C-alpha cells in the first residue's frame, strides 16, 4: 500500500469551507450545477462562491471563472456537476489545483455497473494521491446551517424556511436527505448539518459521525443507512457518540429480505441480519427506528429536552376517547402513565369530577361543563407532580379551543417540562397549531407519531447498558500462540477447547473398542450415553450414532453393535458420556457475523426451540452481569428464576458459562465459523450447568 | 315487562327527519344549543328548522317558538340542549307532543354518578312509554350529509368543507366524532352519516349499525367503541353487514389494562379481554384497528375501490431509499410486492437501467438521468401488469416533480387501478398534493399511514372465513333436556360428559380399593396411572394425587398407599388410567366470556405452555374445517404437520375433537364456566387423539 499525503482539509473544514466553486454551473434550474449554485446563494453563505463555466461571463450576477486553474488562492470545496464522461478530467484538475474536497454530484458510477466502479476507483486514486477528499459521487451535496451553506442540488432548499438547529443528519439516499430536510423544518425539526453520502467512494458515514461527535453545533446525530462500508468503525463511532453524550439514531433499510434485495442493488456492502444489527445497536446504545420522519422527530425531542429524567407520562385530552386510546397505545409500548400524588389529586379534584379523575385527564370530565369559562384543564397542577417527566396533550375539536390551548401552552412553559402536543383534527383547530408553534412548543399531526417519539425517547434513558468493553475475567486463559484446530473438529475436540475456557462439559471418555467402552462406563457410572465420534459425521443423531440412557454393560455392548452396523467402517471411535438431566435445557452458540464479528447466542433449547424463537444474540465478549440482564428478557426466564413453585436454577453458572464462551468467540474471531453447545443442562442453584453436546466448524486456512 | 308502543319513527326516519327543533337555542355560539342551530343552518338542511326559546322572537333570523306545545304538526326530532335539571321536563313535553326522537346533548347523567343514572333511566321510561326514541344523553348529535343535516353541537362543523360520502361512522366519543369528521374531510375521507352515540340510553350502537347496513348512501361502516351495550347483538349486526357486503371497521378503546381503566369510567359495560374481542372480530369479519384516523382512511379506500382483487402491490418512488423502506415495512406486514411478468420487465427496461430494475421501482435508476425529460417513471407499464392489484407511490423531493406527478396521475387514472400516493416531504412538493387531489387521487402524508391502510384493506380480502353458523354435525348429540352436572364435577364425570360428544378419552376405570385398582389395571394393561378422584380436589398433581407410569401390581399398590397417606380420609376413590404417549401434547379448553358467550381455546400444552403463548381462542361452535385454518396459524403447526422429518399427526381427529368440544360449549352456554382437556395426546395420522385429563367448573344454580 502506498502512503498518501495527509488530506489538506479535515471533515470539519470541508463542511465549513472558506470558498466553494461549482463546476458545471449555469442559470438553467433544471440542471444540477445551477441548482447547487442557486441554493448556495439562497442560503446566504458568507464565504467565496465561484461559478465555473468556460462559456459564460456571469451567472446569477456572479463573476464566472472559465476554469479552476484561473484561481489564485487554493480552493476548499469544488462541486462537480458535469456529465459523467467529464468527471475524471474535472477531478484531475481539482487535484492539480490542490482543492480540499470535491463534492461529486454526477451519478452513473459504482451504483450502475462495473465500468462505473472502475471509473469511481480512479477518482479516489487521483484524490488520495493529491491529499484531496471526495464526497459522493452520486450525491446531492451537503448543508451546514450554522455556516448558512446549502451546497446542495435539491430544489427543496429554496422552498424550505431557513432554520439552524442541533441535529446532524447523514443520509445514504440523496432524495431522502432533501425530503427529510424539507419535512423536518415543517415538523419543527432543525438541522445543524445534513450530508448526502452518495457512493461513499472516499469520505464515508463514519468520517461524518466522528466529525459530528466533536461538532459543537450538533447535539444529536441521525443516520439513514443501507449498508456499512466499515461496520467495525461504525461500532467505534457509536461508542464515541455515547462517550460525548450525543444520542445516535439510525434507520437502516434492508432489514427484511425484500428490502435487502433493494439495498443490495444500491450498495456493495455485506449484509448482516436484522438480528445482528439490533444486537449491535442495543449494546452500543444506537437507537434503531424504522421511519426517517419518526427518527427526525425523536431527534428534535432529544435536542430540546436531552435524555428523559423519569418515565412517568401525563396525558391530557379534550376527548375521553382519545385519552383511552392513548392509554392503550402507551401500554402496548411499555410506556408508563404517571401516578398522581395524593396532593396533586386533591388539587385536581377542585376542577375535575372526582369519579372521572385520572391520568389521562379527560377535559370532558371538568366540573365546568359549559365550556364558557376556560382554563388549562388542570395541566399546571398535573405537570407539577414529581412523577410526571413528560406531558402528551391530545387536542380534539371543541368549543373555545384556542383559549384552552393558550392556557395549556402557558402552563407547560411555566412548568418547564417536556411536552408533546398532538392536534388530531384538521383545520378545525381554532388556531391551536399556530398558538403552540409561536410558543415554541412541539406539535404533532398524529397520535402515532407522538407515541413513536415517546417510545424511542424513553429508550434513550436505558441505552447506557454497558459503556466499556468488558475486561478479560480471571480464569479465562489467553489462547496459546499458534493455537489451531482442524476445520471439522470432533465433539471431544470441541469440548476440550471449551473446557480450557472453564466451561463445564459432561464427564466422558473416548473408547475404541466395546471393552474400552465398558471400562469407561464403569468409571463414569451408569446410565451412560454412547455417541459415534467421527470428524465427518455432522448429524450424529440423524445417522443413528447416538444412543441414550444405557443402564448396564449388556445394553451398552448392544448399542456399540448397533452404532457399528449403522456407521460401519468410517467410525473412528465412540464417546461414552454420563447421562445428565436438568430442569432446563439451553442452547448456547457462537457465530461470526461478516460485518460485526463474533456474536454469542443463548436461549431455549430442546424440541421447543424448533417452534419457539426464544434466544438472545449479542456481540462477544460479554460480562456475566450483562448476560444476566439479557437472560431476563427471554420468555424462559421464569423457568430459570424459579417462578410458580419451580426450583431456582443456577443462573450464575449459566451466565459465567456464556461469558466464557463469548471470550472464546472473541479470541478465535473469524477462524471460528460457528460453535454450538446444545444442550446445556442448567441445574439447581449451586449445582452448575454442563454442556452435554458440542460441535463447531472452523474456517479452512485459518 | 310492560309492552311499549311501537316507536313512531325508524332510525332511518330519525336520521332523515322532516323537521327538527332545537330546545335551548340562542345566538351565543359558546352555548351548545346555539351551535346545533348554527350548524344546521350552515349545512343547508331542506327540512323545517325550529328554534325553541321562551325569551326570544327570532334567532339567526328564524322565527322562534316559545314552547313545543305551540307546534301544530308532529315534530320528528327535538334537540335538547338545556341545563341538566331542565332535561326531564323537556323530554316529558316532547313525549306529550309525540316527538319522534329526542337528541339529548346535555351531559351529567349515568357517566357522572348514580343519581345521574337514575335520572337517565327516567328519561328512557318516559320516552318508551310514548313511542319516542332517544339519542344520548351526553352526545354531540349526528350528521347526515345526504340530507345536508349537521344536527350537531361541534364547532368543527362550520369550518369543515361540506362533502357527501359513503362512510357511515358511529362514535362512542363525541369529541372524537367531530374531530374525525373534520380530519376526515381534510384526508379526503367522506361521510354519509356520523352519529355521536353518547350514553346510549335508548338507541345504541347496534341500532345504527343495522340502519347503516340497509342505508343505500352507505358503503362502509366504521365504529369507535369503548364497550358494548349488547355484545351478542353486535355479533348479529356484524353478520348483517357482511351479508350485505359492507365492510365493518372498528377501533375499540380499553384493550389494555390502563386503557380499560379509562373506558370503565365512561361506560358501565362488561369488558371482554382483547383476546376475545380479536377472536370475535376475526371470525365475524370485523376489521379491528388501533387508530381512528387510520380506520377512516382505510374505510375511504374500501369506499372507493371495494375489496382488493389480488394482493400484489407495486411501489414506485423517486428515492431508492424510500423504496427500500417501503419494501421492508410491507414485508413486515406480510404484504406482497407484485412480481412483474417478463413482458412488463421487457417494457420497463426501455426506461430503467436493467441492473437496477425491480419492484419497488426507483426513479433514481431511470436511464434518463438529467431529469429534464419527464415521464411517468414507467408507472403505466407497471400498473398494467396483471399481478399488480394496487400501487403505492412514494413521492420525495426532486427536480420537475410537478411534471412527474402529473404524468403519474394520468397513468394511474388510465390504468384504473387503486393507488395510494404518499407525499413524504412538506411544502417542497412542487404542487404534487394539489395535482393529485384535483385528479381525485388519494394522498397520504406519511408512509406509515399508507402501510396501515394497505394492510387493513388487504385483510378485507380474507375476512370471509365463514359466513354462516356451522351446522350441527352428525354424531353430536343434543344434550338431554334437564341435563345437569354438579358444580365441581370429578374428572371422571367430565370425561363422561365429553365422551357423549364423541371425544376420545383415555381408557380408565374407577376403583374404590387397592384390589379393585389392580383388577382394573389388569383389564386396562400396564403401565397405568393412578389418580386421586375427589370433587374437592382441584389441583390433584400438586397435592400428590397423581402417580404415573406404574409398571406392575407391586408399584400400583405402593402408589395407592402413597396417595392415601397424602390425601387421607377426603378421598372418595381413585382412577386407574392407561398411560398414553404421543408426539404432541395439546391443551383444549372452553370458557365463557361475559359478553360474547362460549369460547373454545386450543394450543400447545405441556411445560412449554407456561412460557410460550401459542393458543387460538375462537367463539363456539366451530367447524372442523375452520379449526384446521386456525390450527395452521399456530407456531406448533409444523410439529403437527410433520415438518423436518417428523411423522404427520392426526390433525383430522384433533380438529374433529375441537369442533365437538365447541358444540358442548355451545350447548351448555353459561352454565359451563370453564372446561379443560389437558393434555390431549395427538397421535400419528389415522391413530386419533385422546384426552388424558379433564376438569371443569360449572355455574352454581344452573
Amino acid at each position: 500500500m502506498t502512503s498518501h499525503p495527509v488530506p489538506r482539509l479535515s471533515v470539519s473544514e470541508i463542511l465549513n469551507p472558506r470558498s466553494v466553486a461549482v463546476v458545471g454551473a449555469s442559470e438553467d434550474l433544471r440542471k444540477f450545477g445551477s441548482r447547487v449554485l442557486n441554493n448556495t446563494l439562497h442560503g446566504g453563505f458568507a464565504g467565496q462562491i465561484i461559478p465555473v463555466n468556460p462559456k459564460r461571463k456571469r451567472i446569477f450576477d456572479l463573476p464566472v471563472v472559465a476554469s479552476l486553474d484561473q484561481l489564485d488562492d487554493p480552493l476548499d470545496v469544488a462541486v462537480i456537476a458535469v456529465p459523467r464522461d467529464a468527471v475524471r478530467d474535472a477531478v484531475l484538475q481539482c487535484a492539480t489545483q490542490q482543492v480540499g474536497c470535491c463534492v461529486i454530484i454526477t451519478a452513473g458510477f459504482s451504483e450502475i455497473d462495473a465500468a462505473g466502479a472502475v471509473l469511481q476507483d480512479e477518482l479516489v486514486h487521483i484524490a488520495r494521491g493529491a491529499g484531496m477528499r471526495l464526497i459522493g459521487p452520486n450525491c446531492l451535496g451537503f448543508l451546514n446551517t450554522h455556516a448558512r451553506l446549502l451546497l446542495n442540488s435539491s430544489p427543496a432548499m429554496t422552498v424550505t424556511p431557513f432554520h439552524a438547529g442541533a441535529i446532524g443528519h447523514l443520509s445514504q439516499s440523496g432524495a431522502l436527505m432533501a425530503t427529510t430536510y424539507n419535512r423536518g423544518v415543517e415538523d419543527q425539526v432543525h438541522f445543524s448539518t445534513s450530508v448526502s453520502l452518495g457512493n461513499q467512494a472516499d469520505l464515508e458515514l463514519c468520517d461524518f459521525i466522528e466529525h459530528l461527535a466533536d461538532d459543537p453545533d450538533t447535539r444529536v446525530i441521525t443516520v439513514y443507512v443501507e449498508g456499512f462500508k466499515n461496520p467495525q468503525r461504525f461500532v467505534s463511532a457509536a461508542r464515541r457518540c455515547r462517550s460525548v453524550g450525543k444520542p445516535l439514531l439510525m434507520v437502516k433499510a434492508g432489514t427484511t429480505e425484500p428490502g435487502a434485495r433493494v439495498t443490495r442493488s444500491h450498495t456493495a456492502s455485506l449484509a448482516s441480519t436484522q438480528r445482528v444489527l439490533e444486537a449491535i445497536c442495543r449494546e452500543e446504545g444506537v437507537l434503531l427506528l424504522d421511519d426517517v420522519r419518526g427518527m427526525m422527530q425523536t431527534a428534535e425531542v432529544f435536542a430540546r429536552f436531552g435524555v428523559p429524567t423519569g418515565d412517568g407520562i401525563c396525558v391530557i385530552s379534550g376527548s375521553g376517547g382519545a385519552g383511552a386510546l392513548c392509554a392503550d397505545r402507551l401500554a402496548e409500548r411499555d410506556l408508563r402513565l404517571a401516578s398522581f400524588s395524593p396532593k396533586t389529586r386533591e388539587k385536581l379534584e377542585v376542577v375535575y369530577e372526582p369519579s372521572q379523575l385520572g391520568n389521562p385527564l379527560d377535559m370532558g370530565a371538568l366540573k365546568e361543563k359549559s365550556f364558557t369559562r376556560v382554563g388549562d384543564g388542570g395541566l399546571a397542577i398535573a405537570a407539577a407532580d414529581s412523577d410526571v417527566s413528560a406531558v402528551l396533550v391530545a387536542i380534539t375539536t371543541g368549543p373555545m379551543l384556542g383559549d384552552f390551548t393558550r392556557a395549556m401552552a402557558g402552563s407547560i412553559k411555566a412548568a418547564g417540562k417536556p411536552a408533546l402536543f398532538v392536534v388530531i383534527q384538521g383545520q378545525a383547530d381554532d388556531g391551536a397549531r399556530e398558538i403552540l408553534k409561536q410558543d415554541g412548543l412541539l406539535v404533532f399531526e398524529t397520535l402515532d407519531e407522538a407515541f413513536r417519539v415517546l417510545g424511542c425517547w424513553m429508550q434513550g434513558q436505558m441505552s447506557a447498558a454497558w459503556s466499556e468493553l468488558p475486561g478479560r475475567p480471571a480464569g479465562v486463559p489467553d489462547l496459546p500462540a499458534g493455537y489451531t484446530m482442524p476445520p471439522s473438529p470432533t465433539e471431544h475436540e470441541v469440548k476440550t477447547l471449551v473446557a480450557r475456557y472453564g466451561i463445564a462439559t459432561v464427564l466422558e471418555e473416548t473408547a475404541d473398542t466395546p471393552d474400552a467402552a465398558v471400562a469407561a462406563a464403569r468409571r463414569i457410572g451408569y446410565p451412560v450415553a454412547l455417541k459415534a465420534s467421527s470428524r465427518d459425521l455432522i448429524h450424529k443423531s440423524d445417522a443413528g450414532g447416538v444412543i441414550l440412557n444405557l443402564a448396564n454393560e449388556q445394553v451398552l455392548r448392544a448399542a456399540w453393535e448397533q452404532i457399528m452396523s449403522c456407521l460401519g467402517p468410517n467410525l473412528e471411535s465412540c464417546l461414552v458420556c454420563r447421562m445428565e438431566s436438568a430442569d432446563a435445557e439451553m442452547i448456547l452458540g457462537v457465530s461470526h457475523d461478516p460485518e460485526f464479528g463474533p456474536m454469542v447466542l443463548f436461549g431455549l433449547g430442546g424440541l421447543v426451540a424448533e417452534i419457539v424463537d426464544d434466544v438472545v444474540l449479542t456481540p462477544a465478549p460479554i460480562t456475566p452481569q450483562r448476560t444476566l440482564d439479557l437472560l431476563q428478557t427471554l420468555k424462559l426466564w421464569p423457568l430459570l428464576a424459579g417462578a410458580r413453585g419451580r426450583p431456582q436454577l443456577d443462573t450464575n453458572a449459566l451466565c459465567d458459562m456464556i461469558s466464557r464462551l463469548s471470550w472464546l468467540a472473541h479470541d478465535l474471531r473469524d477462524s471460528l465459523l460457528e460453535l454450538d453447545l446444545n444442550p446445556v443442562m442448567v441445574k439447581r442453584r449451586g449445582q452448575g450447568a454442563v454442556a452435554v453436546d458440542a460441535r463447531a466448524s472452523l474456517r479452512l486456512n485459518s
Side-chain angles (χ1 to χ4, degrees), chain A residues 115 248 317 426:
Chain A
L248 174 59
S317 174

Side-chain angles (χ1 to χ4, degrees), chain A residues 14-29:
Chain A
I14 292 166
L15 298 180
N16 291 279
R18 291 159 301 179
S19 54
V20 298
V22 180
V23 182
S26 74
E27 286 191 352
D28 179 354
L29 285 180

Side-chain angles (χ1 to χ4, degrees), chain A residues 326-476:
Chain A
C326 287
D328 281 331
R329 298 293 88 71
L330 293 176
E332 285 168 2
R333 289 175 178 266
D334 285 328
L335 296 170
R336 186 176 69 82
L337 285 167
S339 299
F340 295 140
S341 70
K343 209 171 140 191
T344 303
R345 256 198 90 86
E346 199 178 294
K347 291 182 187 166
L348 285 170
E349 282 183 7
V350 177
V351 280
Y352 278 97
E353 300 283 357
S355 68
Q356 291 176 283
L357 169 59
N359 181 13
L361 287 165
D362 169 11
M363 290 169 72
L366 285 169
K367 282 184 175 165
E368 166 56 51
K369 296 233 171 299
S370 71
F371 283 91
T372 49
R373 282 193 297 276
V374 167
D376 71 348
L379 182 55
I381 300 166
D385 192 289
S386 65
D387 193 38
V388 171
S389 293
V391 177
L392 175 67
V393 186
I395 291 181
T396 53
T397 56
M400 316 303 292
L401 186 54
D403 294 342
F404 273 106
T405 303
R406 217 166 272 118
M408 287 195 287
S411 293
I412 198 68
K413 282 172 70 182
K417 289 202 179 170
L420 279 59
F421 287 79
V422 183
V423 182
I424 305 181
Q425 66 269 45
Q427 71 279 58
D429 71 346
D430 201 11
R433 284 180 180 82
E434 206 41 48
I435 291 163
L436 294 167
K437 288 181 181 177
Q438 274 174 8
D439 270 351
L441 293 164
L442 271 181
V443 182
F444 294 82
E445 288 293 309
T446 70
L447 288 171
D448 278 354
E449 288 177 349
F451 299 143
R452 168 157 50 196
V453 166
L454 273 174
C456 183
W457 184 52
M458 285 294 176
Q459 266 180 48
Q461 222 188 356
M462 295 167 283
S463 76
W466 51 273
S467 51
E468 289 177 79
L469 266 181
R472 199 168 185 90
V476 169

